[in-house]
Amino acid sequence: MRVRVARLDGGRMRVEVGDPDPRALPVLVRAADEDESGRGLALLDAVATRWGVERRAEGKTVWCELAEEGRATG
């Protein structure tokens, strides 16, 4: 697993988490109240200005961009 954090133009931050398995791409689902898992991407989607997944020969990277605190998003 690899984690990278970088500051972008406009006060944004980009966070990347990479792992060597190119399969099992993450999918945004809506967990029911009684579900014990399935909330990770929903939380990410709620706080990130944008996010995505990049497939590579050596695995995949899930990334998100976060706005600087106090700045408007979108």
Side-chain angles (χ1 to χ4, degrees):
M1 179 175 282
R2 176 184 54 82
V3 176
R4 179 176 177 252
V5 178
R7 184 173 297 276
L8 304 175
D9 292 338
R12 295 172 297 142
M13 297 289 283
R14 181 175 171 114
V15 179
E16 299 177 350
V17 177
D19 79 65
D21 187 356
R23 303 166 298 160
L25 296 179
V27 176
L28 179 62
V29 296
R30 300 294 176 210
D33 289 344
E34 64 277 358
D35 289 344
E36 294 184 12
S37 63
R39 292 181 177 79
L41 281 182
L43 290 169
L44 180 69
D45 190 59
V47 300
T49 56
R50 61 188 202 127
W51 64 272
V53 180
E54 297 174 357
R55 290 178 94 169
R56 300 181 176 156
E58 68 277 3
K60 66 179 172 291
T61 299
V62 179
W63 60 270
C64 71
E65 292 182 6
L66 304 167
E68 184 177 311
E69 189 174 332
R71 288 185 184 240
T73 61

